[in-house]
């Protein structure tokens, strides 16, 4: 299911598209860190990056505007999509319209 | 006050076949609700108080009704933490909790209600008449105005207010409104608009997801017109920024924080609708409304009166409710009209001038490029102490925001510092708890 890394970041293992999404995260949420320090498998919410529901709303808007992917509270999938940078990037890549 | 006899209130004031709640593939009629409530009532622990932790509005209503059938009182809280629940156990004897999310762990005698439909065989559908003075719920504040305090609500008071809201928002029998609410059912505003209205007025409430803009659109598409979106300024702004089309929408209702007229007008133009605000507080419930784009003042609900109280306060009287002080600074224009000056504890005095933090916040969030923002009063009482402002404004510098503010507000209220932050620590209904705000304050000087 998961695509094999093509050009993994040597330090943290981000795929190119994961880096792009990480950059979006940092810009939109004005996180006090740089995109290349977000580990792909770390949780985004709560204990990980510490994002909350208001961040989720912001992020959903940015993802919709940048990739045409609309996030919905589909009960089962949503927890997985937002689980980590990797899962979020995979979801966007699968569903993107632009 | 002399006691006034009031007619009993039916637990469910709707026809048996009326749809009260709906979600994808689910329609719950008044008869269904009573069936399920009777079934659950048998399963409820022997208790006097039930902490209703259900997230789904329909299940929340079923627990409310079941508790009522057993003569139990529901406690409503946004905080389901172990500490809060243990705190309840110290204050209320014979207490239990009910949730619909298996992930919720409760230290109390706890029941988890599932999604499965009830047994096909209907049980007795008695729809009891409840004495108007029977306690239905105790609603706990979200904490933005201090320590959590419980506000007791009687069935008579809640039903009377639902009927007043129905008159104000034209919920006519025969044309039930399809309500999509974005506020949790345990918050007083969400409780009144998305749980109680369907029980007592001509309305049906959406129980599907309603968090993201696309959820809201899907929910609105699923409910029957006339459609009504019940939301907060925060979510309304997000919906506008998402720039999405919505099905024909009769009305948008906003509460929990003041909405600026520009946002209201933008929403009215975008979706050819009307934007109304409800004025309320946990202690009093909804008491007034206004059409934000055209009316700076508030008109009380039918039967609700406002009068000047001691000092700068006001007292609200409402049918079947204890008269209560309004914890906001208002100018009473008439027994049914008032103007909001500010939340109490919200009025700032600088250099002998007074302004409302709510008003200042409205100006701040009305600045182009400012997505969210808040003024914070200085912690000390020195007359020279200045306010700070926190803004979420990715595309504006602190200096630009300050320049915009300078053009719009009295210099006495200009913040000493404008601090750009990624997000404000808002809770689930968009309020900013005091402790979270305090924690945001930088320890020393900042930019701006």
């Amino acid at each position: 299911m998961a695509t094999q890394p093509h050009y993994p970041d040597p330090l943290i293992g981000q795929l190119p598209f994961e880096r792009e999404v990480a950059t979006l995260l940092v810009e939109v949420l004005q996180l006090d860190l740089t995109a290349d320090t977000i580990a792909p498998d770390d949780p985004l919410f709560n204990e990980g990056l510490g994002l909350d529901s208001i961040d989720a709303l912001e992020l959903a808007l940015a993802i919709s505007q940048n990739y045409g992917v609309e996030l919905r509270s589909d009960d089962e999938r949503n927890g997985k999509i937002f689980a980590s940078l990797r899962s979020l990037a995979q979801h966007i890549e699968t569903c993107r319209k632009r | 006050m002399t006691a006034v006899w009031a007619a009993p209130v039916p637990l469910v004031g709707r026809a048996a076949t009326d749809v009260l709640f709906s979600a994808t593939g689910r329609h719950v009629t008044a008869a269904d609700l009573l069936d399920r409530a009777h079934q659950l009532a048998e399963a409820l622990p022997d208790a006097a108080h039930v902490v209703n932790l259900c997230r789904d509005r329909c299940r929340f209503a079923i627990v409310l009704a079941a508790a009522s059938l057993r003569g139990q009182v529901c406690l409503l809280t946004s905080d389901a933490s172990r500490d809060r629940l243990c705190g309840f156990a110290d204050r209320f004897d014979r207490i239990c909790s009910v949730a619909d999310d298996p992930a919720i762990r409760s230290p109390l005698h706890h029941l988890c209600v599932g999604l499965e439909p009830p047994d096909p065989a209907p049980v007795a559908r008695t729809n009891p008449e409840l004495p108007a003075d029977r306690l239905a719920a105790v609603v706990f504040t979200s904490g933005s105005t201090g320590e959590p305090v419980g506000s007791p609500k009687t069935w008579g008071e809640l039903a009377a207010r639902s009927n007043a809201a129905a008159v104000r928002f034209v919920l006519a029998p025969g044309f039930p409104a399809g309500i999509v609410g974005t506020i949790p059912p345990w918050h007083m505003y969400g409780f009144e608009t998305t749980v109680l209205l369907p029980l007592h007025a001509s309305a049906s409430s959406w129980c599907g997801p309603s968090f993201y803009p696309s959820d809201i659109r899907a929910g609105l598409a699923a409910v029957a017109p006339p459609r009504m979106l019940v939301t907060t300024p925060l979510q309304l702004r997000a919906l506008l920024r998402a720039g999405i089309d919505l099905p024909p929408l009769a009305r948008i209702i906003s509460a929990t924080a003041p909405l600026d007229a520009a946002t209201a007008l933008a929403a009215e133009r975008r979706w050819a609708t009307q934007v109304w605000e409800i004025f309320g507080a946990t202690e009093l419930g909804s008491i007034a409304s206004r059409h934000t784009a055209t009316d700076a003042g508030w008109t009380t609900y039918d039967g609700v009166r406002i009068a000047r109280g001691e000092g700068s306060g006001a007292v609200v009287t409402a049918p079947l409710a204890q008269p209560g002080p309004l914890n906001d600074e208002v100018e009473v224009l008439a027994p049914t009209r008032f103007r909001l000056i500010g939340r109490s504890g919200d009025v700032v005095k600088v250099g002998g001038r007074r302004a409302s933090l709510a008003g200042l916040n409205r100006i701040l969030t009305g600045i182009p490029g400012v997505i969210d923002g808040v003024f914070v009063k200085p912690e000390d009482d020195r007359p020279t102490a200045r306010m700070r402002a926190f803004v979420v404004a990715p595309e504006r510098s602190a200096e630009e925001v300050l320049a915009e503010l300078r053009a719009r507000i009295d210099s006495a209220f200009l913040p000493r510092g404008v601090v750009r932050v990624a997000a404000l620590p808002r809770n689930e209904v968009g309020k900013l708890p005091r402790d979270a705000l305090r924690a945001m304050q930088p320890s020393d000087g900042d930019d701006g």
Side-chain angles (χ1 to χ4, degrees):
Chain A
M1 205 184 93
T3 38
Q4 287 302 307
H6 303 296
Y7 303 103
D9 182 290
L11 291 176
I12 203 153
Q14 286 177 344
L15 299 171
F17 187 62
E18 288 168 356
R19 172 65 59 89
E20 184 180 325
V21 174
T23 306
L24 182 74
L25 270 168
V26 169
E27 279 173 7
V28 167
L29 305 179
Q30 293 186 288
L31 300 178
D32 196 14
L33 42 81
T34 54
D36 57 6
T37 60
I38 300 178
D41 291 319
D42 277 0
L44 295 177
F45 286 78
N46 304 321
E47 72 272 29
L49 282 184
L51 306 187
D52 62 17
S53 63
I54 305 289
D55 294 321
L57 199 53
E58 282 302 317
L59 204 48
L61 285 171
I63 290 168
S64 155
Q65 278 155 9
N66 283 275
Y67 304 106
V69 176
E70 285 191 350
L71 290 164
R72 294 261 304 258
S73 302
D74 286 325
D75 310 356
E76 324 87 48
R77 276 202 316 178
N78 222 38
K80 291 180 193 152
I81 294 168
F82 274 138
S84 65
L85 173 62
R86 177 150 294 160
S87 59
L88 182 62
Q90 278 179 2
H91 177 75
I92 296 171
E93 272 204 306
T94 312
C95 305
R96 67 186 293 175
K97 291 170 186 154
R98 53 179 177 259
Chain B
M1 293 285 294
T2 49
V4 179
W5 184 84
V9 178
L11 176 57
V12 179
R14 305 286 304 276
T17 54
D18 286 351
V19 173
L20 273 50
F21 296 94
S22 71
T24 309
R26 270 204 293 162
H27 290 275
V28 176
T29 63
D32 294 335
L33 184 108
L34 283 167
D35 272 359
R36 295 177 194 199
H38 276 279
Q39 288 182 357
L40 179 62
E42 288 171 23
L44 280 177
D46 187 20
H49 299 94
V50 181
V51 188
N52 191 342
L53 299 171
C54 290
R55 290 159 194 245
D56 178 276
R57 298 168 204 289
C58 180
R59 261 173 265 139
F60 190 96
I62 290 167
V63 171
L64 176 75
S68 198
L69 288 169
R70 287 280 300 269
Q72 301 169 337
V73 176
C74 279
L75 305 185
L76 276 54
T77 174
S78 62
D79 179 358
S81 69
R82 193 181 171 82
D83 282 359
R84 172 62 70 90
L85 295 175
C86 287
F88 282 157
D90 292 340
R91 288 169 66 176
F92 299 93
D93 61 343
R94 297 175 60 228
I95 186 169
C96 69
S97 53
V98 181
D100 55 358
D101 178 355
I104 289 183
R105 297 265 173 265
S106 170
L108 310 176
H109 189 161
H110 184 71
L111 185 68
C112 187
V113 290
L115 275 165
E116 68 280 356
D119 296 335
V123 293
R125 288 175 185 174
T126 54
N127 183 15
E129 298 275 324
L130 305 169
D133 60 359
R134 165 90 68 84
L135 208 52
V138 181
V139 186
F140 286 81
T141 54
S142 55
S144 71
T145 48
E147 279 297 293
V149 182
S151 299
K153 309 287 173 191
T154 63
W155 275 107
E157 169 186 0
L158 294 175
R161 212 66 64 81
S162 290
N163 292 331
V167 170
R168 180 60 45 91
F169 298 116
V170 204
L171 306 179
F175 301 93
I179 294 176
V180 173
T182 65
I183 316 97
W186 54 77
H187 186 273
M188 189 60 194
Y189 168 48
F191 181 48
E192 287 186 300
T193 52
T194 67
V195 176
L196 294 169
L197 272 184
L199 293 184
H200 298 291
S202 186
S204 166
S205 182
W206 171 249
C207 299
S210 58
F211 181 73
Y212 295 113
S214 47
D215 293 335
I216 293 172
R217 182 182 54 203
L220 287 169
V223 300
R227 300 181 182 87
M228 199 156 95
L229 172 63
V230 179
T231 189
T232 66
L234 189 80
Q235 285 165 302
L236 185 55
R237 285 191 208 108
L239 200 56
L240 270 170
R241 284 163 54 216
I244 60 174
D245 293 326
L246 297 175
L249 188 54
R251 210 180 285 274
I252 295 174
I253 293 179
S254 173
T256 67
L259 181 67
D260 59 290
T263 300
L265 203 57
E268 292 198 340
R269 289 188 178 142
R270 181 68 182 77
W271 298 298
T273 187
Q274 288 190 13
V275 177
W276 286 67
E277 275 178 281
I278 288 179
F279 188 98
T282 302
E283 303 80 35
L284 297 164
S286 300
I287 58 162
S289 67
R290 67 169 177 163
H291 178 231
T292 312
T294 58
D295 198 349
W298 298 82
T299 304
T300 60
Y301 277 13
D302 284 7
V304 177
R305 294 282 177 275
I306 187 163
R308 264 183 214 96
E310 285 174 30
S312 57
V315 175
V316 174
T317 48
L320 307 177
Q322 295 288 327
L326 193 61
N327 286 325
D328 300 289
E329 196 161 327
V330 299
E331 181 187 352
V332 177
L333 308 169
T336 57
R337 288 277 298 171
F338 64 93
R339 203 171 63 82
L340 177 65
I341 298 170
R343 304 286 298 191
S344 28
D346 223 31
V347 174
V348 281
K349 294 179 192 171
V350 182
R353 294 170 195 273
R354 289 145 64 89
S356 130
L357 273 182
L360 291 172
N361 290 341
R362 214 154 41 213
I363 291 168
L364 183 60
T365 51
I367 293 173
V370 173
I371 292 165
D372 200 359
V374 66
F375 275 87
V376 178
K377 276 202 285 190
E379 292 280 301
D380 64 72
D381 295 332
R382 286 174 301 139
T384 53
R386 290 304 186 94
M387 289 188 291
R388 309 186 70 83
F390 292 85
V391 293
V392 179
E395 276 152 26
R396 306 296 303 264
S397 70
E399 294 73 24
E400 287 170 356
V401 173
L402 195 60
E404 297 264 11
L405 282 175
R406 200 170 283 125
R408 289 162 212 236
I409 64 176
D410 190 309
S411 61
F413 303 111
L414 275 180
R416 180 59 43 90
V418 171
V419 184
R420 291 166 78 240
V421 292
L424 296 178
R426 293 192 182 275
N427 66 15
E428 63 207 337
V429 292
K431 293 201 177 188
L432 289 162
R434 275 186 189 174
D435 290 348
L437 268 181
R438 220 165 262 152
M440 270 195 1
Q441 302 240 39
S443 50
D444 47 29
D446 206 283
D447 58 340

